[in-house]
Amino acid sequence: MAAIGLHRLPQTLLEPHLLARLRPVSTHRTFSSSAFTNQVRVRFAPSPTGYLHLGGLRTALFNHLLARKLGGSWTLRIEDTDQTRYVEGAVESLISTLRWAKLEYDEGPEKELGRGPYFQSQRKHIYDKYLDRLLESGKAYHCFCTPERLTESRKLLQKKGSNLTYDRHCLGTPKEEADRRIANGETSVVRFKSSPDGLTQHDLVYDPIVYPSLPIEDFVLRKSDGLPTYHFANVVDDHEMGITHVLRGEEWLPSTPKHLALYAALGLKPPQFAHMPLLINPDGSKLSKRAGDVRVEDYIAKGYEPEALLNFVALMGWGPTTVNPESEVMDLETLISEFAIEGINKNRATMSPAKLDFLNRGHLQKKVALGNEEGRKEVAERAKVILVKAFPESDSLDLEYIARVVAALKERIYTVKDLPSLGACFFVDPDLSTADAQKLLKTTSQETYKEALTKSVEIISALPDSAFLEDASSQIWGELSPLIGQGTIKSAKDLMNPLRHALTGQKVGAGIPATIGTLGREKTLQRLRARGVISRQPRSIRSLATHAPPPAKNYASITPPYPHLLSQLKTVRSILDRPLSLAEKIVYSHLDNVEEGLAGGGPVRGHNYLKLRPDRVAMQDASAQMALLQFSTCGREATAVPTSIHCDHLISAYSGAEADLKRAIASNKEVFDFLESAARKYGIEFWGPGSGIIHQIVLENYSAPGLLMLGTDSHTPNAGGLGAIAIGVGGADAVDAMSYTPWELKAPKLIGIELKGKLNGWVSPKDVILEIVGRLTVRGGTGHILEYFGEGVETLSATGLATITNMGAEMGATTSVFPYTASMRSYLQATNRAPVAKAADGAQAAGFLSADKGVEYDQHIVIDLSALEPRFNGPNTPDLSTPLSQFANLVKENGWKDEISASLIGSCTNSSYEDMSRVASIARQAKAKGLTTATPFMITPGSELINATIERDGLTADLEAVGGVVLANACGPCIGQWDRKEYKNEENAILTSFNRNFRARNDGNRKTMNFLASPDIVTAMAFAGKLSFDPTKDELIGADGKPFKFDPPTGDELPSTGFTPGNTSYLPASLPKPDPSTEIAISPSSTRLELLEPFDAHFSPEAFADPSVPLEFTDLRCLVRIRGKCTTDEISAAGAWLKYKGHLSNLSENTLIGATNDENGQVNSALEYLPNEADGTIPEIAKRWKARGQPWMIVTDHNYGEGSAREHASLQPRFLGAKLILARSFARIHRTNLTKQGVLPLTFINENDYSKISAGDIVSTKGLDALLRGDLSSVVKVVVQPKDGGETIEIETDHSLSKDAVDWIAAGSALNLIRAKVASEQ
């Protein structure tokens, strides 16, 4: 193998002056005989600058594997020379993580074996010794240059065309002068005197690398603080510690010449180097611990097995040479046995979460296998921690039982974190009122349901005890299966669905025989006998679903168009040429025409009228009626932007959630039916009654940093808590956006609100906005956007930020917005929008999601969070603000009755999980003292997501235990939907955490005084029942007669086990297609079976008969370029889709849903080439193209179609319009299947041509005509016309088709050929 010059390495890793002169040499890789002649000593040397990430774990692992494989040892060394980046606790975390991964180092911290210290900061005396040697030999020198002089030097060298930055100004300084200057206290560094001589590195992965002879920077060896640089310390430490081999990432390749030069200057023998390929994200960017889930701790928290994570990182850049390639699940012992440096490749390794899930499932299955007692115990102990939190009242949490549950679910779960959602039925009785259970129940008749359960009870009662052993599921099935065919039990579904419903309440879970065996005879019979009467609840009544993960979202529809916005921003900057605020960036980037909107760069704020293109519209049910009536006159068949309707305003509170919701649905049926039919007609997402309050739903599903949205409700700015510009408008304004008419807005002025410090104790985000409203008054924000910034912003949760932006409306502000923060990222990820967070990270890195430094605001307000105290605003106006410490005096001075008549929390502004967990902590304190609330105490959850999650986590029970009443997921009393019977026309005071408190707003009584406060204060004061009570200092009397004082509330920003969606029937389809007829006919035909129609031939018989007609595929569109592994499972998923195997139309809905789009890194994502059409999933776009008569092709990576011989993976693309698949390589069987269905499989001659075809490009063939006319030697090329109009290119391919395969292609399918032959014979 020839040596590799630096030009074959990633150029981003190379210093510019090394790229110009390169020289390859001829040599070969030889490792096994000479590279490991002495005992191997390796090291892992991380910096304590944060947590261990995946790249570091892989480095540690590879060093561990090499040491163990060759009987050597490895050292853990902490490279902490840069003390400014030291993170407290990082070393302890690092060691703990290594031990979790079972990577035990032989020498290092806590394992002193004579070569320490193992912290570089403690080895200064060693470095000084080597440094003196270099100074004495003239190979290093003191440099006294100031920063200013260094800057000047760099500029002069750049003018001369040099890539160097230092001119060796101090090289000739005599030793005596240097000593004198040092003695006088002058600051200096020590530099290495570099040599221009070339070097050759014999790298064990990249082969010999030649570094040419040319000037190299005189780099620093010792910094001005007396500590060595990384390069110098690295070389000295490796020598002192006897390191024989250095395995590290390829990002260190540019440093290697410096290290080799130091070894030579010191007369030391360098170790063998092996540089490993970089880990990259699916989008091709470098994996970074500053972005995404790259910390090992993140994966520990998600429940991954240590063996699986090691297996995963091992396979990123390395592969075994002897293990069956299909047996990728390898434990540490196997990895050690198989490891060889020859297996490390040079290609960068792409992160694949799906691969990790696959490996984790494999390791789980091994661990819980019968006989593996140690593994079962390990898994069960970790799972128990999760299950105790999810099911605190369960009596089925012993370790052996948990292990058996994991074994029963081994084909379903990926990590132990899946147990609460997929295995709930094993730990608590199933909730049969959930939407999942109701749907399952409807699959069989009542008669069949009863018969299946009755007969099953008889059989299970008679089973021997041995049938309930873990490995005896087949015995159970053997006894139950004969029931199929008896009575009304006509099929396996008629037996299994009733059993699954009665035993689990879930459509997905363990197999029924395994479920019965795991539950045991007694519990199984108990559940079956208890299912006598089953209620079929209507869709709109909320019930807590078994804790299933939320369904996948259409991420393209909820991610702001960042590339377009950044392009627009560039134009904005060129016109305005000044620092921009965050609000300006977002608003101006949404201009329909930037040049026109900004009018040449003059004053904009408060002057220009902006014509904007909003990204989204949201409407609540009351205001949506008129908006839709207006929209219906526009002649549009669909909304131009994603739009949603939210039924939240028409639900009145009276007795509790379920009864109130039923009553609302009945009384408002005509309105709800109208809204739902309009939603169907125009393709609008419809959130039915009970789903939640519009602003909470938007925050959980639609809001995103940089978004511009309109909402037909004044509190639409709630979405600003996630960095959106969200503006409340009337129905007519909403119609502008929905009809693709530019929406006009006078450019708002800006109020910059700087937050300092951090909230503490009883103070919450609600108090921040109550303080601001008190300062600005109800008119102070008119014509302005409130833009928050400052160090305090990062200390607040995303939902806390939303609480603040929500009430910006009380000041008349256009909207409010926060810069993108870590808490926003966490919230997006927690609400199933990690791809949106990732896109936002990119936009933030490009400078889009925060204000520029030096921006000037029209007003500037400073809030010190540390100095705030809880506040009350009111009565009768939200801007009359009083600190808690002065409120009792205010009550006394005004002569108000010292009594609270009702306490209400929740609503759109204060119904987050954090809010609810904090108030629940207060409730638990009160319950422990035997107290219940002294006033009616009502809780309005903002959404089904919140309601279901707080119920699952016991927070609802905490609140109800002290007298709380949970209302429907709707606006309720906050907007006056409160059927209050008490205090009619009587003066009374209520405390709420709402956003408005105008007279008569809440209960219709103008004498009701509403004081706005935080949920914490409202809850605590509900136990006193007095306005004068100060929970921060006053005491209550417990049931035992003793006084006690509340501790400050505590809570979790996000649920530790994630959100549960609850009743998922509330969730609308993402971007539903409009139905102009509004009449949806339900087809009576089967959904399981469908007659196949023959595929049409690609060319007519007349074309074949006429040699002048070219038989070429023309004007195909590239649907998607697929990255990495794409098995038949990714092409045609199994699992739940198996039911449609006989129905090609239905099954085609899953086509390529597991494939990764190489151009955006997203799974199941395809790009639309028409400018006015939305992107979508792969099957969505494929169907769309088929409908418009657009044939297509795809580009794929290596070994496309590996896995099972599933022919549906070739039928489905053909059915949807595919004619050509161009791959780097195919799996053999799948390639044949493609040709059988008439799909042309071609492979790249030069696999690097893979990236030359992009989605939307026009692709035609050249040379197919000759092939189809019988010339098997014909070379088929593809002619590519880029969609952007670029230069046409030709790419040479290999068809490798046999004559029969060519005939199949020519006929349109093998079946067509057979049919023709049979017809001719007849």
Side-chain angles (χ1 to χ4, degrees), residues 968-1121:
N969 307 323
C971 298
C974 183
I975 62 162
Q977 287 283 31
W978 184 10
D979 190 6
R980 193 183 191 195
K981 306 300 184 183
E982 305 82 21
Y983 297 95
K984 294 292 187 182
N985 202 34
E986 294 180 38
E987 183 176 288
N988 71 101
I990 63 175
L991 299 186
T992 77
S993 67
F994 302 159
N995 43 35
R996 285 193 180 142
N997 57 355
F998 306 135
R999 290 185 187 275
R1001 175 176 173 83
N1002 303 111
D1003 61 358
N1005 179 7
R1006 293 186 59 81
K1007 294 183 179 180
T1008 295
M1009 297 182 294
N1010 179 0
F1011 295 94
L1012 306 176
S1014 72
D1016 308 336
I1017 295 297
V1018 174
T1019 301
M1021 292 182 67
F1023 291 98
K1026 294 185 176 183
L1027 292 172
S1028 61
F1029 178 70
D1030 183 345
T1032 67
K1033 64 180 182 179
D1034 294 343
E1035 294 181 333
L1036 293 173
I1037 304 300
D1040 58 1
K1042 297 179 181 179
F1044 83 96
K1045 185 167 75 75
F1046 283 117
D1047 292 328
T1050 59
D1052 296 323
E1053 182 176 323
L1054 296 167
S1056 58
T1057 56
F1059 286 107
T1060 180
N1063 189 343
T1064 55
S1065 67
Y1066 288 129
L1067 302 175
S1070 296
L1071 288 180
K1073 292 184 176 180
D1075 178 9
S1077 70
T1078 71
E1079 295 283 333
I1080 301 176
I1082 301 176
S1083 172
S1085 61
S1086 171
T1087 61
R1088 303 292 300 273
L1089 298 171
E1090 178 186 52
L1091 294 174
L1092 285 175
E1093 293 291 333
F1095 292 133
D1096 292 335
H1098 300 298
F1099 306 100
S1100 68
E1102 292 77 15
F1104 273 97
D1106 185 350
S1108 66
V1109 176
L1111 305 178
E1112 302 286 355
F1113 290 152
T1114 58
D1115 297 333
L1116 309 182
R1117 286 279 183 176
C1118 178
L1119 176 66
V1120 63
R1121 186 173 72 222

Side-chain angles (χ1 to χ4, degrees), residues 18-86:
L18 292 178
L19 295 175
R21 298 165 57 191
L22 304 166
R23 180 172 61 86
V25 298
S26 180
T27 186
H28 296 273
R29 283 173 86 182
T30 55
F31 308 135
S32 56
S33 62
S34 61
F36 308 109
T37 53
N38 299 316
Q39 184 190 38
V40 166
R41 286 184 54 80
V42 293
R43 48 76 167 176
F44 175 48
S47 300
T49 56
Y51 296 90
L52 183 65
H53 73 1
L54 290 184
L57 180 66
R58 185 185 65 168
T59 300
L61 172 63
F62 281 16
N63 279 283
H64 179 90
L65 296 178
L66 183 63
R68 296 294 178 264
K69 176 67 177 285
L70 300 174
S73 63
W74 71 281
T75 297
L76 175 63
R77 188 173 74 220
I78 307 302
E79 299 194 341
D80 60 344
T81 56
D82 189 349
Q83 289 289 295
T84 62
R85 299 177 62 220
Y86 180 82

Side-chain angles (χ1 to χ4, degrees), residues 380-445:
E381 285 177 342
R382 287 192 297 105
K384 185 171 183 177
V385 175
I386 299 166
L387 294 168
V388 166
K389 290 182 180 179
F391 311 111
E393 304 300 323
S394 176
D395 58 0
S396 304
L397 295 174
D398 64 89
L399 295 181
E400 182 50 41
Y401 180 72
I402 292 173
R404 181 162 181 183
V405 171
V406 176
L409 287 163
K410 64 184 180 182
E411 298 298 334
R412 290 291 184 187
I413 65 173
Y414 288 105
T415 77
V416 291
K417 280 293 186 73
D418 295 333
L419 285 173
S421 59
L422 293 176
C425 65
F426 293 107
F427 305 102
V428 294
D429 285 340
D431 182 354
L432 300 188
S433 65
T434 67
D436 210 17
Q438 291 293 312
K439 290 177 182 177
L440 188 58
L441 179 61
K442 291 177 183 177
T443 60
T444 53
S445 67

